[in-house]
Amino acid sequence: MILYTVMPEHLLFPVDAAEYEKKKMVYYDGIPFLVQIVENGEYEIVQNLSTNPYHFLNAKYAPGARFPISAATS
């Protein structure tokens, strides 16, 4: 089956609600991120929520990057 739509895949085929409970929004260096906690006590960036395009060019703020929980603010 082929769907011709402009809707993102995650809206058409939602994942389990437990997946959303693992993620939360925090600020790191004054930039908002959607993160999840990994096993060694760090946050892993899932999505950069900044509106500044320069924040997306820095590898430090890329999805998959990790930073200590102590460095984040809510």
Side-chain angles (χ1 to χ4, degrees):
M1 177 169 93
I2 299 174
L3 296 176
Y4 296 100
T5 179
V6 296
M7 299 281 292
E9 180 182 342
H10 67 275
L11 292 178
L12 294 173
F13 307 107
V15 295
D16 188 26
E19 288 297 316
Y20 291 109
E21 294 171 1
K22 295 178 185 177
K23 297 176 177 73
K24 66 186 238 179
M25 192 190 89
V26 297
Y27 286 86
Y28 174 56
D29 288 345
I31 304 166
F33 292 102
L34 187 65
V35 298
Q36 64 185 5
I37 297 178
V38 291
E39 62 278 347
N40 60 353
E42 292 182 323
Y43 282 135
E44 181 177 56
I45 297 174
V46 175
Q47 185 177 3
N48 186 336
L49 302 174
S50 176
T51 57
N52 186 339
Y54 291 109
H55 293 157
F56 292 88
L57 298 174
N58 192 339
K60 178 180 174 182
Y61 306 132
R66 296 181 178 188
F67 59 91
I69 291 176
S70 61
T73 58
S74 292

Coordinates of all heavy atoms in Angstrom, one line a residue:
M1 N 0.8 -1.2 0.0 CA 0.0 0.0 0.0 C 0.9 1.2 0.0 O 1.9 1.3 0.8 CB -0.9 0.0 1.3 CG -1.7 1.2 1.4 SD -3.0 1.0 2.7 CE -2.1 1.7 4.0
I2 N 0.6 2.2 -0.8 CA 1.3 3.5 -0.9 C 0.4 4.6 -0.4 O -0.7 4.7 -0.9 CB 1.8 3.7 -2.3 CG1 2.7 2.6 -2.7 CG2 2.5 5.1 -2.4 CD1 3.2 2.7 -4.2
L3 N 0.9 5.4 0.5 CA 0.1 6.6 0.9 C 0.8 7.8 0.4 O 1.9 8.1 0.6 CB 0.1 6.6 2.5 CG -0.6 5.5 3.2 CD1 -0.4 5.7 4.7 CD2 -2.0 5.4 2.9
Y4 N 0.0 8.6 -0.4 CA 0.5 9.9 -0.9 C -0.1 10.9 0.0 O -1.2 11.4 -0.1 CB 0.0 10.1 -2.3 CG 0.5 9.0 -3.3 CD1 -0.2 7.9 -3.7 CD2 1.8 9.2 -3.8 CE1 0.3 7.0 -4.6 CE2 2.4 8.3 -4.6 CZ 1.6 7.2 -5.0 OH 2.1 6.3 -5.9
T5 N 0.8 11.4 1.0 CA 0.3 12.3 1.9 C 1.5 13.2 2.4 O 2.7 12.8 2.2 CB -0.3 11.7 3.2 OG1 -0.7 12.6 4.1 CG2 0.7 10.7 3.8
V6 N 1.2 14.4 2.9 CA 2.2 15.3 3.4 C 2.4 15.1 4.9 O 3.2 15.7 5.5 CB 2.0 16.7 3.1 CG1 2.0 17.0 1.6 CG2 0.6 17.2 3.6
M7 N 1.5 14.3 5.5 CA 1.6 14.0 6.9 C 2.8 13.2 7.3 O 3.2 12.3 6.6 CB 0.3 13.2 7.4 CG -1.0 13.9 7.1 SD -1.3 15.2 8.3 CE -1.6 14.2 9.7
P8 N 3.5 13.5 8.4 CA 4.7 12.8 8.8 C 4.2 11.3 9.2 O 3.1 11.1 9.7 CB 5.2 13.5 10.0 CG 4.5 14.8 10.0 CD 3.3 14.7 9.2
E9 N 5.2 10.4 9.1 CA 4.9 9.0 9.4 C 4.5 8.8 10.8 O 3.6 8.0 11.1 CB 6.2 8.2 9.1 CG 6.0 6.7 9.4 CD 7.3 6.0 9.1 OE1 8.2 6.5 8.5 OE2 7.4 4.9 9.7
H10 N 5.1 9.6 11.8 CA 4.7 9.3 13.2 C 3.3 9.8 13.5 O 2.7 9.4 14.5 CB 5.7 10.0 14.1 CG 5.7 11.5 14.1 ND1 6.4 12.2 13.1 CD2 5.1 12.4 14.8 CE1 6.2 13.5 13.3 NE2 5.4 13.7 14.3
L11 N 2.6 10.6 12.7 CA 1.2 10.9 12.9 C 0.3 9.9 12.3 O -0.8 9.7 12.8 CB 0.9 12.3 12.3 CG 1.6 13.5 12.9 CD1 1.2 14.8 12.2 CD2 1.2 13.6 14.4
L12 N 0.7 9.3 11.2 CA -0.1 8.2 10.6 C 0.0 6.9 11.4 O -1.0 6.2 11.5 CB 0.4 8.0 9.1 CG 0.1 9.2 8.2 CD1 0.8 8.9 6.9 CD2 -1.3 9.4 8.0
F13 N 1.2 6.6 11.8 CA 1.4 5.3 12.5 C 2.0 5.6 13.9 O 3.3 5.5 14.1 CB 2.4 4.4 11.7 CG 2.0 4.2 10.3 CD1 2.6 4.8 9.3 CD2 0.9 3.4 10.1 CE1 2.2 4.6 8.0 CE2 0.5 3.1 8.7 CZ 1.1 3.8 7.7
P14 N 1.2 6.0 14.9 CA 1.8 6.4 16.2 C 2.4 5.2 16.9 O 1.9 4.1 16.8 CB 0.5 6.9 16.9 CG -0.6 6.4 16.2 CD -0.2 6.1 14.8
V15 N 3.4 5.5 17.7 CA 4.1 4.5 18.5 C 3.3 4.4 19.8 O 2.4 5.1 20.2 CB 5.5 4.8 18.7 CG1 6.3 4.8 17.4 CG2 5.7 6.1 19.4
D16 N 3.7 3.4 20.6 CA 3.2 3.2 21.9 C 3.3 4.4 22.8 O 4.3 5.1 22.8 CB 3.8 1.9 22.5 CG 3.2 1.5 23.8 OD1 2.0 1.7 24.0 OD2 3.8 0.8 24.6
A17 N 2.4 4.6 23.7 CA 2.4 5.8 24.6 C 3.6 5.7 25.6 O 4.1 6.7 26.0 CB 1.1 5.9 25.4
A18 N 4.1 4.5 25.9 CA 5.2 4.4 26.8 C 6.5 5.0 26.2 O 7.4 5.5 26.9 CB 5.5 2.9 27.0
E19 N 6.6 5.1 24.9 CA 7.7 5.7 24.2 C 7.7 7.2 24.5 O 8.8 7.8 24.6 CB 7.7 5.5 22.7 CG 8.0 4.1 22.3 CD 9.4 3.7 22.7 OE1 10.4 4.5 22.5 OE2 9.6 2.5 23.2
Y20 N 6.6 7.8 24.5 CA 6.5 9.3 24.8 C 6.8 9.6 26.3 O 7.3 10.7 26.6 CB 5.1 9.8 24.4 CG 4.9 9.8 23.0 CD1 4.0 8.9 22.4 CD2 5.6 10.7 22.1 CE1 3.8 8.9 21.0 CE2 5.4 10.6 20.7 CZ 4.5 9.8 20.2 OH 4.3 9.7 18.9
E21 N 6.6 8.7 27.2 CA 6.8 8.9 28.6 C 8.3 8.9 28.9 O 8.7 9.5 29.9 CB 6.1 7.8 29.4 CG 4.6 7.9 29.3 CD 3.9 6.8 30.0 OE1 4.6 5.9 30.5 OE2 2.7 6.7 30.0
K22 N 9.1 8.3 28.0 CA 10.6 8.3 28.3 C 11.2 9.6 27.9 O 12.3 9.9 28.3 CB 11.2 7.2 27.4 CG 10.8 5.8 27.7 CD 11.5 4.8 26.8 CE 11.0 3.4 27.0 NZ 11.6 2.5 26.0
K23 N 10.6 10.5 27.2 CA 11.1 11.7 26.7 C 10.6 12.9 27.5 O 9.5 12.9 28.0 CB 10.8 11.9 25.2 CG 11.4 10.8 24.3 CD 10.9 11.0 22.9 CE 11.6 9.9 22.0 NZ 11.0 8.6 22.1
K24 N 11.5 13.9 27.6 CA 11.1 15.1 28.3 C 11.9 16.3 27.7 O 12.9 16.1 27.1 CB 11.3 15.0 29.8 CG 12.7 14.9 30.3 CD 12.8 14.7 31.8 CE 13.6 15.8 32.4 NZ 13.6 15.6 33.9
M25 N 11.4 17.5 27.9 CA 12.0 18.7 27.4 C 12.9 19.3 28.5 O 12.4 19.5 29.7 CB 11.0 19.7 27.0 CG 11.6 20.8 26.2 SD 10.6 22.2 25.8 CE 10.8 23.2 27.2
V26 N 14.1 19.6 28.2 CA 15.0 20.3 29.1 C 15.8 21.4 28.3 O 15.8 21.4 27.1 CB 16.1 19.3 29.8 CG1 15.4 18.3 30.6 CG2 16.9 18.7 28.7
Y27 N 16.4 22.3 29.1 CA 17.3 23.3 28.5 C 18.7 22.9 28.8 O 19.1 22.6 29.9 CB 17.0 24.7 29.1 CG 15.7 25.2 28.6 CD1 14.5 24.9 29.2 CD2 15.6 26.1 27.4 CE1 13.3 25.4 28.7 CE2 14.4 26.6 27.0 CZ 13.3 26.3 27.6 OH 12.1 26.8 27.2
Y28 N 19.6 23.0 27.7 CA 21.0 22.8 27.9 C 21.7 23.9 27.1 O 21.4 24.2 26.0 CB 21.4 21.4 27.2 CG 22.8 21.1 27.2 CD1 23.6 21.2 28.3 CD2 23.4 20.8 26.0 CE1 25.0 20.9 28.3 CE2 24.8 20.5 25.9 CZ 25.5 20.5 27.0 OH 26.9 20.2 27.0
D29 N 22.5 24.7 27.8 CA 23.2 25.9 27.3 C 22.1 26.9 26.8 O 22.3 27.6 25.9 CB 24.1 25.6 26.2 CG 25.4 24.9 26.6 OD1 25.6 24.9 27.8 OD2 26.1 24.3 25.8
G30 N 21.0 26.9 27.5 CA 19.9 27.9 27.2 C 19.1 27.5 25.9 O 18.3 28.3 25.4
I31 N 19.3 26.3 25.4 CA 18.6 25.8 24.2 C 17.6 24.7 24.6 O 18.0 23.8 25.3 CB 19.6 25.3 23.2 CG1 20.6 26.4 22.9 CG2 18.9 24.8 21.9 CD1 21.8 25.9 22.1
P32 N 16.4 24.7 24.1 CA 15.5 23.7 24.5 C 15.7 22.4 23.6 O 15.9 22.5 22.4 CB 14.1 24.3 24.2 CG 14.4 25.3 23.1 CD 15.7 25.8 23.4
F33 N 15.7 21.2 24.3 CA 15.8 20.0 23.6 C 14.8 19.0 24.1 O 14.4 19.0 25.3 CB 17.2 19.4 23.9 CG 18.4 20.1 23.3 CD1 19.1 21.0 24.1 CD2 18.7 20.0 22.0 CE1 20.2 21.7 23.6 CE2 19.8 20.7 21.5 CZ 20.5 21.5 22.3
L34 N 14.4 18.0 23.3 CA 13.7 16.9 23.7 C 14.7 15.8 23.9 O 15.5 15.5 23.0 CB 12.7 16.5 22.6 CG 11.7 15.4 22.9 CD1 10.8 15.8 24.0 CD2 10.9 15.0 21.7
V35 N 14.8 15.2 25.1 CA 15.8 14.3 25.5 C 15.2 13.0 26.1 O 14.1 13.0 26.4 CB 16.8 14.9 26.5 CG1 17.5 16.1 25.9 CG2 16.1 15.3 27.8
Q36 N 16.1 12.0 26.1 CA 15.7 10.8 26.9 C 16.9 10.4 27.7 O 18.1 10.7 27.4 CB 15.3 9.6 26.0 CG 16.4 9.2 25.0 CD 15.9 8.1 24.1 OE1 14.7 7.8 24.0 NE2 16.7 7.5 23.3
I37 N 16.7 9.8 28.9 CA 17.7 9.3 29.8 C 18.3 8.0 29.3 O 17.6 7.1 28.9 CB 17.2 9.2 31.2 CG1 16.8 10.5 31.7 CG2 18.3 8.6 32.1 CD1 16.2 10.5 33.1
V38 N 19.6 7.9 29.2 CA 20.3 6.7 28.8 C 20.9 6.0 30.1 O 20.9 6.6 31.2 CB 21.4 6.9 27.8 CG1 20.9 7.4 26.5 CG2 22.4 8.0 28.3
E39 N 21.3 4.8 29.9 CA 21.7 4.0 31.1 C 22.8 4.5 32.0 O 22.9 4.2 33.1 CB 22.0 2.5 30.6 CG 23.2 2.4 29.7 CD 22.9 2.7 28.3 OE1 21.7 2.8 27.9 OE2 23.8 2.9 27.5
N40 N 23.7 5.3 31.5 CA 24.8 5.8 32.3 C 24.6 7.1 33.0 O 25.5 7.8 33.4 CB 26.1 5.8 31.5 CG 26.0 6.7 30.3 OD1 24.9 7.3 30.0 ND2 27.1 6.9 29.6
G41 N 23.3 7.5 33.1 CA 23.0 8.8 33.8 C 23.2 10.0 33.0 O 23.5 11.1 33.6
E42 N 23.1 9.9 31.7 CA 23.2 11.1 30.8 C 21.9 11.3 30.0 O 21.1 10.4 29.9 CB 24.4 10.9 29.9 CG 25.7 10.9 30.5 CD 26.8 10.8 29.4 OE1 26.6 10.1 28.5 OE2 27.9 11.4 29.6
Y43 N 21.8 12.5 29.5 CA 20.7 12.7 28.6 C 21.2 12.5 27.2 O 22.3 12.9 26.8 CB 20.2 14.2 28.7 CG 19.2 14.4 29.9 CD1 19.4 15.6 30.6 CD2 18.2 13.6 30.2 CE1 18.6 15.8 31.7 CE2 17.3 13.8 31.2 CZ 17.5 15.0 32.0 OH 16.7 15.2 33.0
E44 N 20.4 12.0 26.3 CA 20.7 11.9 24.9 C 19.7 12.7 24.1 O 18.5 12.6 24.3 CB 20.6 10.4 24.4 CG 20.9 10.2 23.0 CD 20.8 8.8 22.5 OE1 19.8 8.2 22.7 OE2 21.9 8.3 22.0
I45 N 20.2 13.6 23.3 CA 19.3 14.5 22.5 C 18.5 13.7 21.5 O 19.1 13.0 20.7 CB 20.1 15.6 21.9 CG1 20.8 16.5 22.9 CG2 19.2 16.5 21.0 CD1 21.8 17.5 22.4
V46 N 17.2 13.9 21.5 CA 16.3 13.3 20.5 C 16.0 14.3 19.5 O 16.0 14.0 18.3 CB 15.0 12.8 21.2 CG1 14.0 12.2 20.2 CG2 15.3 11.7 22.2
Q47 N 15.7 15.5 19.9 CA 15.3 16.6 18.9 C 15.7 17.9 19.5 O 15.6 18.2 20.6 CB 13.8 16.5 18.7 CG 13.3 17.5 17.7 CD 11.8 17.4 17.5 OE1 11.1 16.6 18.1 NE2 11.3 18.1 16.5
N48 N 16.3 18.8 18.6 CA 16.6 20.1 18.9 C 15.4 21.0 18.7 O 14.8 21.0 17.6 CB 17.8 20.6 18.0 CG 18.3 21.9 18.3 OD1 17.6 22.8 18.9 ND2 19.5 22.2 18.0
L49 N 14.9 21.7 19.7 CA 13.7 22.5 19.6 C 14.0 24.0 19.4 O 13.0 24.8 19.5 CB 12.8 22.3 20.8 CG 12.4 20.8 21.1 CD1 11.7 20.7 22.4 CD2 11.5 20.3 20.0
S50 N 15.2 24.3 19.1 CA 15.6 25.7 19.0 C 15.0 26.3 17.7 O 14.7 25.6 16.7 CB 17.1 25.8 18.9 OG 17.5 27.2 18.7
T51 N 14.8 27.6 17.7 CA 14.4 28.4 16.5 C 15.6 29.1 15.8 O 15.4 29.7 14.8 CB 13.3 29.4 16.8 OG1 13.8 30.3 17.8 CG2 12.0 28.7 17.4
N52 N 16.7 28.9 16.4 CA 17.9 29.6 15.9 C 18.6 28.6 15.0 O 19.1 27.5 15.4 CB 18.9 30.0 17.0 CG 20.1 30.7 16.5 OD1 20.5 30.7 15.4 ND2 20.7 31.4 17.5
P53 N 18.8 28.9 13.7 CA 19.4 27.9 12.7 C 20.8 27.6 13.0 O 21.3 26.5 12.7 CB 19.3 28.6 11.4 CG 18.9 30.0 11.6 CD 18.3 30.1 13.0
Y54 N 21.6 28.5 13.7 CA 22.9 28.2 14.1 C 23.1 27.1 15.1 O 24.1 26.4 15.1 CB 23.6 29.4 14.6 CG 23.8 30.5 13.5 CD1 23.1 31.6 13.5 CD2 24.7 30.2 12.4 CE1 23.2 32.6 12.5 CE2 24.8 31.2 11.4 CZ 24.1 32.3 11.4 OH 24.2 33.2 10.4
H55 N 22.1 26.8 15.9 CA 22.1 25.7 16.9 C 22.1 24.4 16.2 O 22.5 23.4 16.7 CB 20.9 25.9 17.8 CG 21.0 27.1 18.7 ND1 20.0 27.6 19.3 CD2 22.1 27.8 19.1 CE1 20.3 28.7 20.1 NE2 21.6 28.8 19.9
F56 N 21.5 24.3 15.0 CA 21.5 23.1 14.2 C 22.8 22.7 13.5 O 23.0 21.6 13.1 CB 20.3 23.1 13.2 CG 19.0 23.1 13.9 CD1 18.4 24.3 14.2 CD2 18.3 21.9 14.1 CE1 17.1 24.3 14.8 CE2 17.1 21.9 14.7 CZ 16.5 23.1 15.0
L57 N 23.7 23.7 13.4 CA 24.9 23.5 12.7 C 26.0 23.0 13.7 O 27.1 22.5 13.2 CB 25.4 24.8 12.1 CG 24.5 25.3 11.0 CD1 25.0 26.7 10.5 CD2 24.4 24.3 9.8
N58 N 25.8 23.1 15.0 CA 26.8 22.7 16.0 C 26.6 21.2 16.3 O 25.5 20.8 16.7 CB 26.6 23.5 17.2 CG 27.7 23.4 18.2 OD1 28.5 22.4 18.2 ND2 27.9 24.4 19.1
A59 N 27.6 20.4 16.1 CA 27.5 18.9 16.4 C 27.2 18.6 17.8 O 26.7 17.6 18.2 CB 28.7 18.2 15.9
K60 N 27.5 19.6 18.7 CA 27.3 19.4 20.1 C 25.8 19.3 20.5 O 25.4 18.7 21.4 CB 27.9 20.6 20.9 CG 27.7 20.6 22.4 CD 28.4 21.9 22.9 CE 28.1 22.0 24.4 NZ 28.7 23.3 24.9
Y61 N 25.0 19.9 19.6 CA 23.5 19.9 19.8 C 22.8 19.0 18.8 O 21.6 19.1 18.7 CB 23.0 21.3 19.6 CG 23.7 22.3 20.5 CD1 24.2 23.5 20.0 CD2 23.9 22.1 21.9 CE1 24.8 24.5 20.8 CE2 24.6 23.0 22.7 CZ 25.0 24.2 22.2 OH 25.7 25.1 23.0
A62 N 23.5 18.1 18.2 CA 22.8 17.2 17.2 C 22.1 16.1 17.9 O 22.5 15.6 19.0 CB 23.9 16.7 16.2
P63 N 21.1 15.5 17.3 CA 20.4 14.3 17.9 C 21.4 13.2 18.0 O 22.3 12.9 17.1 CB 19.4 14.0 16.8 CG 19.1 15.3 16.1 CD 20.4 16.0 16.1
G64 N 21.4 12.5 19.2 CA 22.3 11.5 19.5 C 23.4 11.9 20.4 O 24.1 11.1 21.0
A65 N 23.7 13.2 20.4 CA 24.7 13.7 21.3 C 24.3 13.6 22.8 O 23.1 13.6 23.1 CB 25.0 15.2 21.0
R66 N 25.2 13.4 23.7 CA 24.9 13.2 25.1 C 25.5 14.3 25.9 O 26.6 14.8 25.6 CB 25.4 11.8 25.5 CG 24.6 10.7 24.8 CD 25.1 9.4 25.3 NE 24.4 8.3 24.6 CZ 24.4 7.1 24.9 NH1 25.2 6.6 25.8 NH2 23.7 6.2 24.2
F67 N 24.9 14.6 27.1 CA 25.4 15.5 28.0 C 24.9 15.1 29.4 O 23.9 14.4 29.6 CB 25.0 16.9 27.7 CG 23.5 17.2 27.6 CD1 22.8 17.6 28.8 CD2 22.8 17.1 26.5 CE1 21.5 17.8 28.7 CE2 21.5 17.3 26.4 CZ 20.8 17.7 27.6
P68 N 25.7 15.5 30.5 CA 25.3 15.1 31.8 C 24.0 15.7 32.3 O 23.7 16.8 31.9 CB 26.5 15.5 32.7 CG 27.3 16.4 31.8 CD 26.9 16.2 30.4
I69 N 23.3 14.9 33.1 CA 22.0 15.4 33.7 C 22.2 16.7 34.5 O 21.4 17.6 34.4 CB 21.3 14.3 34.5 CG1 20.9 13.2 33.6 CG2 20.2 14.9 35.3 CD1 20.3 12.0 34.3
S70 N 23.4 16.8 35.1 CA 23.6 18.0 36.0 C 23.8 19.3 35.1 O 23.6 20.4 35.7 CB 24.9 17.8 36.8 OG 26.0 17.6 35.9
A71 N 24.0 19.2 33.8 CA 24.2 20.3 33.0 C 22.9 20.9 32.5 O 22.8 22.0 31.9 CB 25.1 20.0 31.8
A72 N 21.8 20.1 32.7 CA 20.5 20.5 32.1 C 19.7 21.3 33.2 O 19.8 21.1 34.4 CB 19.7 19.3 31.7
T73 N 18.8 22.2 32.7 CA 17.8 22.9 33.5 C 16.5 22.6 32.9 O 16.3 22.3 31.8 CB 18.1 24.4 33.6 OG1 18.1 24.9 32.2 CG2 19.5 24.7 34.2
S74 N 15.5 22.7 33.8 CA 14.1 22.4 33.3 C 13.4 23.7 33.0 O 13.1 24.6 33.1 CB 13.3 21.7 34.3 OG 13.8 20.4 34.5

